[in-house]
Amino acid sequence: IGDNAVNLNTVMARIKDEFFADSAAEEKAILTKANAAATANRKKSDFFGKASNGVVVRGVDNVLIRLSQCCNPLPGDSIVGYITRGRGVSVHRSDCPNVQHYLNNEQGRIVEVRWEAEVAGRFIAELEINSNDRARLTSDILTILADLKVMIHSIHSRAVKTGLALTNIKIEIKNIEQLDFVIDRIQKVRDVTGVYRVLPGKEKIYD
């Protein structure tokens, strides 16, 4: 490069071929299998591969599957798969803003996914709690979660207006049914006026 015998673009291309060949090959294989499953008009197209993180992909087996952190899908949510570049299949809620972007710009990378029949594991959900501000409010919420044996990842409480408070809490949940039960219990805490699951583009805040 120093004496201009080889240009930078040539070197970068060689590095990419050397170190990212496996990722590119895996991505191509996933795309090929997924497209074949989507277009095949035969019974075999109903094949779903081995589950990972509680999710299976139509027409594809032995692939890395990860739950997207932008929308944190839970078992019971409607979901869509997206074939990433070198990182397997990412799973999003169907109403995730990123899914709309993929549908508009990279529809060929969208694959059908579904939750396996019996999903084992824990998943992260975020709740936003509106309330009147008072002493020991956060403590009362934490007591409810402890009684329900729900693991807490983080909690952030603050006053937002005179006499009002807002609490965001991330918890470990098994599925939508458990989340609904937790929301119902928190709703019954004195001075709580609303409990919402935080979703992309749908955060609840005080007016």
Side-chain angles (χ1 to χ4, degrees), residues 75-92:
D77 285 335
S78 174
I79 52 176
V80 171
Y82 170 74
I83 300 172
T84 66
R85 290 169 173 81
R87 295 183 298 161
V89 174
S90 63
V91 178
H92 298 256

Side-chain angles (χ1 to χ4, degrees), residues 92-179:
H92 298 256
R93 284 175 51 95
S94 297
D95 60 357
C96 177
N98 284 328
V99 169
Q100 190 58 54
H101 170 78
Y102 299 145
L103 287 171
N104 292 337
N105 299 281
E106 300 180 283
Q107 192 167 9
R109 290 179 174 272
I110 296 295
V111 291
E112 182 182 350
V113 295
R114 69 185 184 193
W115 298 104
E116 62 178 330
E118 297 292 333
V119 181
R122 299 282 176 170
F123 304 85
I124 302 299
E126 182 177 359
L127 296 178
E128 187 163 284
I129 305 168
N130 296 345
S131 64
N132 298 315
D133 196 10
R134 67 169 172 83
R136 298 189 59 81
L137 174 66
T138 301
S139 176
D140 289 347
I141 294 172
L142 293 177
T143 297
I144 291 292
L145 295 174
D147 290 344
L148 297 176
K149 296 181 171 56
V150 172
M151 182 72 70
I152 301 169
H153 274 240
S154 65
I155 184 168
H156 179 211
S157 298
R158 65 273 190 200
V160 289
K161 288 183 179 180
T162 302
L164 300 178
L166 187 64
T167 301
N168 285 81
I169 186 166
K170 290 185 178 181
I171 55 178
E172 283 192 5
I173 289 292
K174 294 186 293 185
N175 51 43
I176 287 291
E177 289 75 17
Q178 185 188 17
L179 182 64

